[in-house]
Amino acid sequence: MTQIQNDQELLELFKDPSTKEHAFTAIIKKYQEKLYWHIRRMVINHEDADDVLQNMFIKVWKGLENFREDSQLYTWLYRIATNESLTFLAQQKKRSSVSLSDDENGLTNKLKSDTNFDANKLEWKLQMGIQSLPEKQRIVFNLRYYDEMPYEEMSKVLETSEGALKASYHHAAKKIENFILNN
Amino acid sequence: MKNNTSDIINELKTVSPFLAGIEKVNVFKVPKDYFIDLDTKILTSVFLQQVEKNESQQVPTGYFDSLSDRILSKIKNETPLTAIDEIKQISPALHYLKEEQVFTVPENYFDNLSDRILDKIHLKKAKVISLNPVKKVWKYAAAAVIAGIVTISSLQIFNQKTGKEKIAASYIQVARQYKTPQKLDEGIASLSADEIAKYLEKTGTVLDEDALVKDTDTTNLPSTSDYLTDENALDNFLNSINSKSTNTQ
């Protein structure tokens, strides 16, 4: 079977009960890695990322029939992944008996508990720097730095103006740079 | 003039005979013919400054008429900066670090991810089967469970030792008492710990599923929309069950 890449075709196939699962599988396969990494960078550990990713796709299954095709599937999926990750983090924070401040949201500890963690390595300092950012700025930074998402798309995902996103990314990058230099 | 000069010399002689004795010589040199056209130079310079000032305050005709169009076309033609170029500009160090991957993923994690997600979806669907039209009564029972009503209803019915043939109607009828959160709270408060413990010992589940499903005639149940739009729909159904029960006794 030829691999279908076009979102429009996939959405059409999803509407037909006989091809619904095939289309859904193709959508998962097409976007799974991008969305996984987006979620993973937000929740840090693999088990949590796996939970959030699976739950978000279950929501996609339920919501795809009502998906308004005037927006792109790609940005819609990113929006769900972002919201699901934020909801997960909020629930986790609520459950935590320890009071956590914004910059010490438990994610830094998760980073430190990674078996490969090495505080002296620049790449880990970078991750620590990212976790030191406020939540929204962290998302903007990840989407631009790792996913290389154009601001136009990002503004649809985060429902924020392009100008504000550019400024936020610029500040975030500078903060991380300073964090690496001073730690 | 001459008198003045001699007066000044005389004055100097009285002040400092030494200085008055030194010959007056100008040690500074001036370019040749410097003073010949100095006046013209000064006037030209003043004129030029005046012209420059006037010109800088003027705008070409129609400049503002097309300004917005020219800016917009410039913006449209401008290629957005790529993320890579942008981070190179903001922080070359971060650009350098970008390729360093720190997180790992279990091997073959992505290979069967879609199957695992579909399995979960099928599992969820399977659970929903109990709410199919054949067992419509479950809709009411499930709604009641959510509200916490059935727990009280079950306890009350259990303690009354109601017969199975009337159990479905009894659940719904008892549940009707708890229309408001306040009533529900009062209902829960009225139960003793012993009653709850006795009930839980006797039954593993909150509802007697078999009794509900087997002994209830679901053919005339109101549809979901009837139930939501007409508050008498449930009452009418209950009345019909009651009248049937009365007739069979």
Side-chain angles (χ1 to χ4, degrees):
Chain A
M1 192 178 284
T2 53
Q3 199 182 2
I4 302 153
Q5 288 296 320
N6 184 299
D7 286 350
Q8 210 59 42
E9 284 177 331
L10 290 173
L11 290 170
E12 284 304 315
L13 289 172
F14 187 81
K15 286 177 192 163
D16 180 347
S18 66
T19 50
K20 189 172 182 169
E21 287 200 6
H22 166 68
F24 190 63
T25 302
I27 290 171
I28 295 177
K29 286 193 183 299
K30 186 174 177 182
Y31 290 107
Q32 61 184 11
E33 292 204 33
K34 274 178 177 287
L35 294 169
Y36 169 84
W37 284 111
H38 174 54
I39 294 167
R40 176 78 188 267
R41 288 184 196 108
M42 289 179 71
V43 301
I44 302 301
N45 79 33
H46 170 74
E47 286 70 26
D48 293 342
D50 183 40
D51 275 353
V52 175
L53 183 68
Q54 292 201 30
N55 285 338
M56 78 145 274
F57 269 120
I58 291 169
K59 288 196 175 170
V60 168
W61 170 271
K62 289 174 188 165
L64 205 53
E65 274 177 12
N66 303 319
F67 172 67
R68 290 201 326 273
E69 289 172 30
D70 52 344
S71 61
Q72 277 188 54
L73 180 62
Y74 158 79
T75 50
W76 185 66
L77 292 173
Y78 261 91
R79 190 153 70 230
I80 297 175
T82 307
N83 289 341
E84 285 298 304
S85 303
L86 289 175
T87 305
F88 173 84
L89 291 175
Q91 285 170 347
Q92 209 169 44
K93 205 168 173 179
K94 214 173 172 183
R95 276 199 298 269
S96 169
S97 55
V98 186
S99 150
L100 302 165
S101 64
D102 281 344
D103 56 339
E104 192 64 42
N105 49 18
L107 296 174
T108 307
N109 289 334
K110 277 191 187 177
L111 273 182
K112 288 178 181 169
S113 65
D114 193 296
T115 47
N116 299 316
F117 180 75
D118 184 343
N120 295 319
K121 283 194 170 167
L122 276 177
E123 54 265 35
W124 282 103
K125 283 187 181 180
L126 168 68
Q127 294 306 321
M128 299 280 277
I130 294 171
Q131 297 314 321
S132 74
L133 297 174
E135 205 161 60
K136 182 80 183 280
Q137 215 170 43
R138 191 160 68 234
I139 298 167
V140 173
F141 182 80
N142 284 338
L143 286 176
R144 185 66 176 165
Y145 184 70
Y146 288 111
D147 295 306
E148 295 179 10
M149 188 179 277
Y151 285 116
E152 192 185 351
E153 303 295 328
M154 208 194 297
S155 98
K156 288 173 193 158
V157 174
L158 301 177
E159 290 167 336
T160 309
S161 75
E162 287 183 43
L165 292 171
K166 278 182 195 175
S168 183
Y169 180 62
H170 194 277
H171 286 309
K174 282 291 168 200
K175 275 190 204 171
I176 294 169
E177 195 181 58
N178 284 335
F179 181 93
I180 295 172
L181 291 172
N182 297 319
N183 285 277
Chain B
M1 278 293 274
K2 200 166 184 180
N3 285 341
N4 281 345
T5 305
S6 59
D7 287 346
I8 290 166
I9 290 167
N10 290 332
E11 182 190 35
L12 187 60
K13 278 178 183 168
T14 56
V15 177
S16 171
F18 174 73
L19 283 181
I22 296 170
E23 190 186 358
K24 273 188 175 175
V25 176
N26 190 355
V27 295
F28 301 109
K29 300 257 188 258
V30 176
K32 197 183 167 194
D33 302 328
Y34 169 72
F35 293 104
I36 292 174
D37 57 355
L38 181 62
D39 57 337
T40 317
K41 276 182 190 166
I42 292 169
L43 281 171
T44 306
S45 177
V46 168
F47 174 75
L48 284 173
Q49 279 185 7
Q50 199 63 38
V51 168
E52 276 173 15
K53 200 175 174 187
N54 289 340
E55 277 183 352
S56 69
Q57 287 170 343
Q58 284 176 353
V59 173
T61 320
Y63 171 79
F64 290 111
D65 296 342
S66 59
L67 181 63
S68 58
D69 290 341
R70 277 182 288 121
I71 292 171
L72 278 174
S73 102
K74 204 171 177 182
I75 291 168
K76 279 178 190 166
N77 293 329
E78 194 180 351
T79 317
L81 205 59
T82 65
I84 293 172
D85 289 337
E86 188 184 28
I87 196 66
K88 273 183 191 170
Q89 281 182 13
I90 302 172
S91 171
L94 292 190
H95 171 249
Y96 166 76
L97 281 174
K98 193 177 171 223
E99 299 309 318
E100 300 292 329
Q101 183 62 265
V102 293
F103 299 123
T104 54
V105 184
E107 209 177 336
N108 305 325
Y109 168 70
F110 292 110
D111 292 352
N112 57 357
L113 181 64
S114 58
D115 292 338
R116 278 183 284 132
I117 292 170
L118 278 168
D119 284 348
K120 274 196 176 179
I121 289 167
H122 291 149
L123 202 67
K124 277 184 186 269
K125 268 184 175 173
K127 281 181 183 169
V128 178
I129 288 169
S130 58
L131 285 171
N132 74 15
V134 182
K135 299 171 183 175
K136 276 180 182 172
V137 70
W138 264 104
K139 282 187 289 195
Y140 303 102
V145 167
I146 292 161
I149 292 168
V150 159
T151 311
I152 314 167
S153 312
S154 303
L155 289 164
Q156 292 173 350
I157 292 162
F158 169 73
N159 290 322
Q160 287 165 13
K161 297 183 170 49
T162 307
K164 270 191 172 182
E165 67 281 359
K166 287 167 73 181
I167 200 161
S170 304
Y171 272 119
I172 300 166
Q173 209 145 27
V174 176
R176 282 176 64 222
Q177 298 169 41
Y178 307 105
K179 283 179 179 168
T180 64
Q182 198 187 348
K183 289 270 181 200
L184 181 61
D185 287 344
E186 286 169 9
I188 291 168
S190 72
L191 295 167
S192 73
D194 276 354
E195 279 175 322
I196 296 169
K198 238 194 289 177
Y199 172 77
L200 291 173
E201 273 171 24
K202 181 81 181 176
T203 70
T205 55
V206 174
L207 292 167
D208 189 335
E209 298 173 17
D210 287 342
L212 272 173
V213 174
K214 284 179 191 165
D215 302 328
T216 305
D217 179 8
T218 59
T219 48
N220 295 321
L221 266 172
S223 71
T224 314
S225 55
D226 290 340
Y227 179 66
L228 292 172
T229 53
D230 179 7
E231 60 180 15
N232 293 322
L234 188 58
D235 285 339
N236 295 338
F237 173 67
L238 288 167
N239 289 336
S240 72
I241 289 179
N242 285 339
S243 59
K244 273 182 198 167
S245 301
T246 317
N247 291 339
T248 51
Q249 277 174 353

